[in-house]
Structure formats: structure tokens, C-alpha cells
Amino acid sequence: QLQLQESGPGLVKPSETLSLTCTVSGDSINSNTYYWGWIRQSPGKGLELIGNIHYSGNTYYNPSLKSRVTISMDTSQKQFSLKLMSVTAADTAVYYCARHRVTGGAGMGYDYWGQGTLVTVSS
Amino acid sequence: DIVLTQSPDSLAVSLGERATINCKSSQSVLYSSNNKYYLSWYQQRPGQPPKLLIYWASTRKSGVPDRFSGSGSGTDFTLTISSLQAEDVAVYYCQQYYSSTWTFGQGTKVEIK
């Protein structure tokens, strides 16, 4: 059974960099059929895609966050990571990592999610 | 960006009754090369991450109860819960992954009447 687990600081100061890691267990991270994503949910709000990464190294970032975001992958550790620079209170949210599956060349959506981790931006 | 607008924002349904949630896309999410709609539905129970219910607009993910069904075409899509159960209390989201920027609807909260 695939499991994803987010880890990282729960409190980040304004203007600093938010760093989170997602550890994947139970399946391969370097498969051509998966994209790995970060999605966030501000308190009481909806879902916002931050970006995706493929094991080939291809990345996609939400244009609204692109100037501040880096997503990377360490296949040997079965981990992928998020860095969000210059954070403000507006970046306070639950951050989820998730897997987007592609089957028969067609995407299926995010079929597995981590439990999420709350990151608060405050001094 | 493709905007997904869900309606209603919330609804209260009696146990055993039908719940219907709509999702309208600002443009087509039909991938013409494989004739599939790149639209999914998720359920998010309180304190839990979203759970994939439906993909390609109408294909139920393995293990999802058959009271959940997805339908639609063009730019209008529907998630139907045929007989609401207590465990279906949640917020439901549609999501498109057709355009380069994947987006979610604002969510619909389903409660028991």
C-alpha cells in the first residue's frame, strides 16, 4: 500500500523559506506513470496546486507561485521536496503531497495523498 | 486558467436520499486524442486529506462505493450520491488537469438534513 508522509517545520518566520519533504513508501517513485505534487489548503479554504515533478526531472509550477517555488526529487531516498521562498502569512496552510497517476497515457488525478502538515507563518 | 465553479456551495440531504453536485468548467477539458475528460472528483472528510472518487469525469476509482457516480459532457459535470450515508458528510471538490495549470473547484459541503 502506497504511503506518503510530509515532514518539515510547522512554524516559519515571515520572509524566510518554507521547506517540506515528502517520503514515499510502498511503491516506486521513479516510474514513468506518476507525477508527484504539492497542494496546499489555507485554513477554511479550498485546494491550490503548488506544482508537480516527474522522476525525469520535469517540473511544473503554478504561475502564481512560480517565482518563489522549487520542487526537487531524490529518487535514492524516495523523497521529493518543496521550497517556498519569502513566505508571508498568506502562505499559512496545510501542505499536502500527492501522487498523480497516468494510465494508458491519460491522467487520472491525485490517487494517493499524504495526511498533510500545517505550516504557520508567524514571527 | 480554467475556472471550475461548483454549485451549490452547500446542501443538506436526508439519509438515503440523493445528493447532486455540479461543476461547470470555463472551457472544455476534453482531451481529443483519447476522448477523455480530464476531470476528477474528490471527497474530503473533516481533518482528512482529499480522497479520489471519480476520474475521467465518470470512472469510479476501485474501492469507491457504487452509490457515487460521475457524469457530464462539454463543460458541465455532475457528482451524484444516490443514497446518502452518514459517512458521506464531507466537502466535495472537482478538479481539472487538462490545462497546464491544474485547478480545483471551490468545494461543496454536504451535510445531513
Side-chain angles (χ1 to χ4, degrees):
Chain A
Q1 175 78 351
L2 178 72
Q3 290 188 317
L4 295 89
Q5 180 66 57
E6 304 90 351
S7 59
L11 181 64
V12 181
K13 290 182 169 55
S15 79
E16 295 191 345
T17 297
L18 179 160
S19 296
L20 296 174
T21 296
C22 182
T23 301
V24 178
S25 59
D27 201 352
S28 173
I29 196 171
N30 53 353
S31 168
N32 201 41
T33 58
Y34 305 140
Y35 288 80
W36 305 91
W38 287 99
I39 300 103
R40 71 181 183 179
Q41 186 170 35
S42 302
K45 299 287 183 64
L47 299 159
E48 179 183 31
L49 172 69
I50 300 169
N52 291 317
I53 189 167
H54 187 260
Y55 89 99
S56 63
N58 288 338
T59 54
Y60 170 80
Y61 301 133
N62 189 322
S64 68
L65 298 168
K66 186 174 183 177
S67 63
R68 299 193 290 133
V69 171
T70 302
I71 297 175
S72 59
M73 179 179 282
D74 183 341
T75 56
S76 66
Q77 297 294 317
K78 297 184 72 174
Q79 295 177 332
F80 61 105
S81 299
L82 168 70
K83 290 190 186 302
L84 180 65
M85 301 182 297
S86 305
V87 297
T88 69
D91 295 309
T92 293
V94 175
Y95 286 76
Y96 295 101
C97 59
R99 185 185 82 173
H100 176 89
R101 182 175 176 182
V102 177
T103 184
M108 292 171 55
Y110 291 107
D111 62 344
Y112 283 93
W113 295 65
Q115 283 298 307
T117 186
L118 174 63
V119 179
T120 301
V121 178
S122 175
S123 55
Chain B
D1 292 359
I2 294 178
V3 177
L4 299 178
T5 303
Q6 293 183 226
S7 61
D9 289 332
S10 64
L11 74 161
V13 177
S14 300
L15 289 173
E17 296 299 305
R18 179 185 300 261
T20 301
I21 301 167
N22 301 301
C23 175
K24 186 173 183 62
S25 177
S26 61
Q27 57 186 274
S28 175
V29 295
L30 177 65
Y31 201 64
S32 56
S33 64
N34 56 21
N35 204 38
K36 294 186 186 301
Y37 288 102
Y38 279 16
L39 184 122
S40 290
W41 288 96
Y42 299 86
Q43 174 195 66
Q44 186 176 32
R45 294 181 175 130
Q48 295 293 314
K51 171 188 173 184
L52 178 65
L53 299 175
I54 303 286
Y55 57 94
W56 300 338
S58 60
T59 301
R60 193 182 308 113
K61 185 188 174 190
S62 175
V64 172
D66 61 7
R67 64 180 180 273
F68 291 93
S69 63
S71 62
S73 62
T75 59
D76 293 290
F77 302 93
T78 299
L79 175 69
T80 301
I81 309 172
S82 61
S83 175
L84 192 75
Q85 305 299 304
E87 61 265 32
D88 301 334
V89 168
V91 179
Y92 293 83
Y93 295 92
C94 56
Q95 182 219 357
Q96 65 80 21
Y97 39 96
Y98 173 84
S99 70
S100 57
T101 301
W102 300 355
T103 52
F104 294 86
Q106 82 277 16
T108 294
K109 186 175 185 178
V110 174
E111 299 173 306
I112 305 294
K113 184 187 292 183

